[in-house]
Amino acid sequence: MSSSPGEESSEPEAPKLVTIPQMPDLLEAVGLKRVGAARIRQLTKEEGWPAPVFEDGRTKIYTWSAVERFFRTRSIRQGERTDLKPKDE
Protein backbone atom coordinates (compact mmCIF):
# COMPACT_ATOMS: atom_id res chain seq x y z
CA MET A 1 0.00 0.00 0.00
CA SER A 2 1.33 3.41 -0.87
CA SER A 3 1.41 6.14 1.70
CA SER A 4 -0.11 9.39 0.52
CA PRO A 5 0.11 12.68 2.46
CA GLY A 6 -3.55 12.48 3.51
CA GLU A 7 -3.37 8.92 4.83
CA GLU A 8 -3.05 8.23 8.49
CA SER A 9 0.02 6.22 9.45
CA SER A 10 -0.58 3.06 11.46
CA GLU A 11 2.90 3.24 12.99
CA PRO A 12 3.10 4.92 16.40
CA GLU A 13 5.28 8.02 16.57
CA ALA A 14 8.63 7.49 18.27
CA PRO A 15 8.97 9.31 21.60
CA LYS A 16 11.06 12.49 21.59
CA LEU A 17 14.35 11.90 23.40
CA VAL A 18 16.20 14.77 25.09
CA THR A 19 19.32 15.47 27.12
CA ILE A 20 19.56 17.92 30.01
CA PRO A 21 21.22 20.71 27.97
CA GLN A 22 18.26 20.65 25.54
CA MET A 23 15.59 20.93 28.25
CA PRO A 24 15.71 24.69 29.04
CA ASP A 25 14.83 25.68 25.47
CA LEU A 26 12.15 23.00 25.22
CA LEU A 27 10.54 24.11 28.48
CA GLU A 28 10.35 27.66 27.18
CA ALA A 29 8.96 26.47 23.82
CA VAL A 30 5.98 24.74 25.48
CA GLY A 31 5.19 27.77 27.65
CA LEU A 32 6.77 26.67 30.91
CA LYS A 33 9.24 28.68 32.96
CA ARG A 34 12.80 28.27 31.70
CA VAL A 35 14.92 26.30 34.14
CA GLY A 36 18.68 26.22 33.68
CA ALA A 37 20.60 23.02 33.01
CA ALA A 38 22.41 23.25 36.38
CA ARG A 39 19.07 23.41 38.24
CA ILE A 40 17.69 20.54 36.17
CA ARG A 41 20.68 18.43 37.21
CA GLN A 42 19.73 19.14 40.84
CA LEU A 43 16.11 18.23 40.15
CA THR A 44 17.15 14.83 38.76
CA LYS A 45 17.88 13.79 42.35
CA GLU A 46 14.33 14.63 43.51
CA GLU A 47 11.60 12.08 43.99
CA GLY A 48 9.36 11.90 40.96
CA TRP A 49 12.02 12.75 38.38
CA PRO A 50 11.66 10.34 35.43
CA ALA A 51 14.24 7.62 34.98
CA PRO A 52 16.54 7.95 31.97
CA VAL A 53 15.77 5.67 29.03
CA PHE A 54 19.47 5.51 28.19
CA GLU A 55 22.57 6.10 30.27
CA ASP A 56 26.19 5.88 29.20
CA GLY A 57 28.67 7.37 31.64
CA ARG A 58 27.57 10.94 32.36
CA THR A 59 25.21 11.08 29.38
CA LYS A 60 21.57 10.53 30.24
CA ILE A 61 18.69 10.61 27.79
CA TYR A 62 15.07 11.09 28.87
CA THR A 63 11.71 10.97 27.11
CA TRP A 64 10.45 14.51 26.67
CA SER A 65 6.86 13.62 27.57
CA ALA A 66 7.94 12.35 31.02
CA VAL A 67 10.12 15.41 31.67
CA GLU A 68 7.38 17.80 30.57
CA ARG A 69 4.87 16.01 32.83
CA PHE A 70 7.30 16.37 35.76
CA PHE A 71 7.60 20.14 35.25
CA ARG A 72 3.84 20.60 34.77
CA THR A 73 2.91 18.68 37.94
CA ARG A 74 5.70 19.51 40.40
CA SER A 75 4.98 21.74 43.35
CA ILE A 76 7.21 24.80 43.46
CA ARG A 77 8.54 25.86 46.85
CA GLN A 78 10.07 29.17 45.83
CA GLY A 79 12.00 30.69 48.71
CA GLU A 80 11.14 27.91 51.15
CA ARG A 81 13.92 27.12 53.61
CA THR A 82 14.00 23.35 53.50
CA ASP A 83 17.19 23.29 55.56
CA LEU A 84 15.31 24.50 58.65
CA LYS A 85 12.63 21.80 58.56
CA PRO A 86 13.05 18.73 60.75
CA LYS A 87 13.98 15.68 58.71
CA ASP A 88 11.53 12.78 58.70
CA GLU A 89 13.03 9.75 60.35
Side-chain angles (χ1 to χ4, degrees):
M1 224 182 239
S2 67
S3 179
S4 62
E7 273 186 46
E8 202 173 301
S9 175
S10 61
E11 295 179 27
E13 190 174 315
K16 183 174 186 172
L17 302 176
V18 296
T19 60
I20 291 175
Q22 296 170 319
M23 292 178 193
D25 292 334
L26 291 170
L27 287 170
E28 200 169 44
V30 296
L32 293 170
K33 182 181 177 194
R34 183 182 184 92
V35 178
R39 177 66 179 135
I40 293 172
R41 284 186 188 90
Q42 292 173 339
L43 291 173
T44 62
K45 294 166 181 51
E46 283 193 8
E47 186 177 325
W49 181 262
V53 293
F54 177 79
E55 192 171 348
D56 184 22
R58 290 176 44 180
T59 303
K60 294 180 177 126
I61 299 177
Y62 302 89
T63 56
W64 171 242
S65 59
V67 172
E68 183 181 6
R69 187 173 37 255
F70 173 83
F71 279 100
R72 289 194 186 276
T73 59
R74 76 184 183 118
S75 61
I76 299 174
R77 303 180 314 253
Q78 189 170 352
E80 184 178 336
R81 293 284 307 265
T82 56
D83 60 328
L84 299 178
K85 287 186 173 184
K87 297 195 189 249
D88 293 336
E89 294 183 76

